[in-house]
Amino acid sequence: MSSICCICSIWEYVKFPLCYLFILFLGAACFPNKLKFGYVIPLFKKGKISEVQNYRSITSLLSFSKVFEKILVQRMRKFLDHNKILSKAQHGFRNNLSTNTAGFEFTQAIYESIDSNNFTIALYFDLTRPFDCVDTTFLTQKLNALGFRGNFNLLVKSFMTGRKIRVRFGSIMSECFEQEFGVPQGGVLSPLLFILFINDIVQFLEGFFTPDNKYEIVVYADDSTIIISCSSLQRAILNANLILQKFYDWSSKNKLIVNESKTQYMVFYKRRLIPEFALTMNNVAINKVDSCKFLGLYVDSQLSWIPHIDYIAGKLNTAYFAIVNLKSIMSKKQLLNVYFALAYSHIKYMILFWGQSTETNRIFILQKRILRKIFSLSPLESCRELFRNNNLLTVYSILILESAMFVKKYQHKFPAVSTVHNYQTRQISNIVIQNYNLSTFKKSPKCFCSYVYNKIPVSIREIVPIRKFKRTLQDY
């Protein structure tokens, strides 16, 4: 509390000088050189530790610079939202959009294609170090075309050019050198500049689809996925090859590097075998996979979600052994914090899509195993009262809560019965259940979320504030 009071007292003295300086920066259309310095810290991802491409570079910038960047971001977002400039396919670094909304559009498109008995091909594109390849000249030209002109455009150009960086790896420090390309990862403004840089990819690709061919483009920052749905396999293959080449052409034109070895495709099917075929990009065959990672969600060609459940099971086993080792030195309250950090976070993430799998009970068993260890219960002892007395949610309760919350947040995706007719029936406040041909479609996120939401009492559904709705539903 004392530290908060100290910060508030300091803020009273610095806010007016800071505001004055920021106004000067905006008026002069110049980002100060002293704020362009940063330390690049390479973070290891996976693969061989000796290979440079297996590291992600994060730039540590000055806090003063980030405050100024945040002001720019707020002004830019107001302009973008008011003029509806950003593509609807882009879900990254945007207000009220997340990996859940990207996953919703992605999985719903696949379920609808399967329900229509169409051939479905998903293309997963991978760009090599896209943030580091952004060309300043191209970016300022695109910003000018989008409406960011005059001093603001010059300010962004000043922000991008003349940046000085030093690479820090452990205790080793490199010499200072100038960063000629790219936006600094770790900055507040950088993600927004990047999604504006690639904003035209959707418009570029949409021109090659016809009304006869269904498609869905889902973009999250630099991760681009396209779902192609056609009644004919030959047409689906033709469109897939065309889109692969067009994506490569667009990337080359914008000086972005497509990683052909990590660009993949997957064929979704139910109850029928599809003959083998090959897809190429720039005359290079791309890999066909039966399982692929989509924004942290492991998707398989039959939508069984078994690979993702295997992944979560591994994380829960790791959490269990961490709790076993910490039990002797931590209280129950502290162990529950470990549970929420290492177990609950993985269970909750994108459960909206994998939670209906027939293998979900495996996760429930592992969840109870962890909680039994925390509360010192025997392996065969019931956990029902444990969940109830400690306000903990089971896997299935988390699925219901997340489904209902998704409908509440994005009601425009779920039309109510009142939009179909005006008769005052008992179901007038319900969500319309979409018609389907195959029973598989009942597991689609739109259908399942609608079904769950309709089961909630009307008194809870009518609660307007999101937080109050969540608390009330969680207690219920």
Side-chain angles (χ1 to χ4, degrees):
M1 180 65 72
S2 60
S3 61
I4 296 175
C5 294
C6 181
I7 293 172
C8 291
S9 61
I10 293 173
W11 174 244
E12 291 298 322
Y13 292 99
V14 301
K15 63 181 181 181
F16 291 111
L18 285 179
C19 289
Y20 177 72
L21 288 174
F22 291 156
I23 291 171
L24 288 179
F25 298 160
L26 289 170
C30 178
F31 197 83
N33 291 330
K34 294 290 185 181
L35 300 183
K36 296 181 185 180
F37 181 79
Y39 291 99
V40 174
I41 304 170
L43 298 179
F44 179 69
K45 295 189 293 183
K46 60 182 179 179
K48 293 183 179 180
I49 197 170
S50 59
E51 295 182 0
V52 178
Q53 61 267 26
N54 293 330
Y55 288 82
R56 182 189 301 275
S57 61
I58 301 297
T59 307
S60 177
L61 302 173
L62 298 173
S63 299
F64 187 74
S65 170
K66 291 184 178 181
V67 173
F68 186 43
E69 288 179 51
K70 193 169 185 178
I71 294 173
L72 296 179
V73 167
Q74 290 175 347
R75 296 185 67 174
M76 291 179 74
R77 280 182 172 166
K78 286 183 180 179
F79 179 80
L80 293 170
D81 293 340
H82 181 265
N83 294 283
K84 298 179 180 180
I85 291 174
L86 287 174
S87 168
K88 294 181 180 179
Q90 177 62 260
H91 297 260
F93 308 114
R94 298 182 64 184
N95 295 330
N96 300 320
L97 294 177
S98 63
T99 53
N100 266 345
T101 57
F104 179 89
E105 300 296 340
F106 172 73
T107 53
Q108 186 65 30
I110 294 171
Y111 276 110
E112 289 181 0
S113 178
I114 293 174
D115 189 64
S116 301
N117 200 32
N118 285 344
F119 293 91
T120 312
I121 301 175
L123 305 175
Y124 303 90
F125 295 95
D126 184 84
L127 296 173
T128 301
R129 301 184 180 279
F131 277 72
D132 299 330
C133 296
V134 174
D135 185 270
T136 304
T137 303
F138 284 2
L139 176 61
T140 52
Q141 289 175 355
K142 291 187 177 187
L143 290 177
N144 185 73
L146 294 174
F148 296 100
R149 304 186 180 99
N151 280 5
F152 202 95
N153 194 293
L154 293 174
L155 182 63
V156 172
K157 185 177 181 179
S158 176
F159 170 80
M160 293 280 294
T161 55
R163 303 196 69 90
K164 304 289 185 180
I165 58 175
R166 298 180 71 179
V167 179
R168 185 170 60 193
F169 189 76
S171 59
I172 303 173
M173 192 81 69
S174 75
E175 295 181 358
C176 185
F177 59 93
E178 186 171 338
Q179 183 178 358
E180 298 179 0
F181 292 94
V183 291
Q185 293 196 53
V188 179
L189 181 59
S190 302
L192 183 58
L193 291 178
F194 180 79
I195 64 174
L196 288 172
F197 183 75
I198 65 169
N199 189 59
D200 59 339
I201 179 62
V202 176
Q203 184 179 2
F204 182 83
L205 293 177
E206 282 179 343
F208 300 98
F209 287 98
T210 63
D212 298 332
N213 305 319
K214 296 182 179 178
Y215 66 94
E216 185 71 37
I217 303 175
V218 181
V219 184
Y220 191 92
D222 59 308
D223 293 322
S224 302
T225 306
I226 301 178
I227 301 98
I228 299 170
S229 174
C230 297
S231 57
S232 166
L233 179 60
Q234 289 72 24
R235 177 173 291 180
I237 296 171
L238 180 66
N239 287 343
N241 279 316
L242 177 64
I243 292 302
L244 284 166
Q245 188 58 46
K246 294 303 178 183
F247 187 92
Y248 183 88
D249 294 340
W250 176 88
S251 302
S252 300
K253 182 180 178 181
N254 288 272
K255 296 185 180 180
L256 297 177
I257 305 169
V258 181
N259 191 337
E260 291 98 338
S261 63
K262 291 185 179 179
T263 297
Q264 303 167 330
Y265 75 97
M266 188 186 304
V267 182
F268 293 91
Y269 61 92
K270 282 288 183 181
R271 298 183 189 148
R272 67 176 176 181
L273 294 177
I274 297 176
E276 292 292 329
F277 60 89
L279 298 180
T280 59
M281 180 171 60
N282 196 34
N283 297 323
V284 176
I286 66 171
N287 297 326
K288 179 188 176 185
V289 293
D290 293 323
S291 175
C292 184
K293 193 175 183 180
F294 172 80
L295 303 178
L297 178 70
Y298 287 88
V299 184
D300 62 285
S301 57
Q302 298 190 46
L303 297 178
S304 67
W305 307 110
I306 292 176
H308 189 73
I309 289 174
D310 290 339
Y311 169 77
I312 299 176
K315 292 295 183 180
L316 296 189
N317 284 327
T318 301
Y320 174 79
F321 286 109
I323 289 172
V324 168
N325 293 326
L326 295 172
K327 186 172 172 60
S328 60
I329 59 173
M330 282 189 171
S331 64
K332 288 182 181 178
K333 184 177 180 180
Q334 292 171 325
L335 290 174
L336 278 176
N337 289 335
V338 176
Y339 159 77
F340 281 109
L342 300 183
Y344 181 85
S345 59
H346 291 289
I347 295 173
K348 179 183 175 183
Y349 185 70
M350 287 204 175
I351 193 174
L352 188 66
F353 313 110
W354 62 264
Q356 302 170 69
S357 171
T358 54
E359 297 288 317
T360 303
N361 197 52
R362 286 171 50 198
I363 304 303
F364 186 36
I365 292 171
L366 292 173
Q367 183 191 29
K368 290 188 291 184
R369 181 191 181 203
I370 293 173
L371 293 174
R372 283 192 180 105
K373 176 58 67 175
I374 293 174
F375 290 92
S376 303
L377 300 182
S378 65
L380 297 179
E381 198 167 347
S382 174
C383 291
R384 177 170 296 185
E385 294 304 318
L386 184 156
F387 281 104
R388 186 171 297 168
N389 296 335
N390 294 278
N391 294 323
L392 298 173
L393 298 178
T394 65
V395 172
Y396 302 104
S397 296
I398 297 170
L399 172 61
I400 293 171
L401 179 64
E402 289 297 306
S403 301
M405 287 298 298
F406 190 86
V407 177
K408 192 70 174 178
K409 287 180 181 178
Y410 307 102
Q411 291 186 356
H412 62 279
K413 297 179 181 293
F414 301 89
V417 173
S418 57
T419 62
V420 179
H421 63 75
N422 296 322
Y423 301 107
Q424 295 301 314
T425 60
R426 285 179 296 177
Q427 289 81 27
I428 190 68
S429 63
N430 281 4
I431 301 295
V432 177
I433 303 294
Q434 190 172 341
N435 294 328
Y436 53 86
N437 300 314
L438 303 176
S439 59
T440 305
F441 189 78
K442 290 190 291 185
K443 293 185 177 181
S444 68
K446 189 170 186 178
C447 188
F448 181 77
C449 288
S450 302
Y451 176 78
V452 168
Y453 194 79
N454 289 342
K455 291 293 183 180
I456 298 173
V458 177
S459 58
I460 297 178
R461 275 187 270 165
E462 290 176 346
I463 298 175
V464 176
I466 287 285
R467 292 183 179 180
K468 186 178 180 181
F469 172 82
K470 184 177 181 179
R471 288 196 302 269
T472 308
L473 180 59
Q474 191 165 343
D475 292 339
Y476 173 78

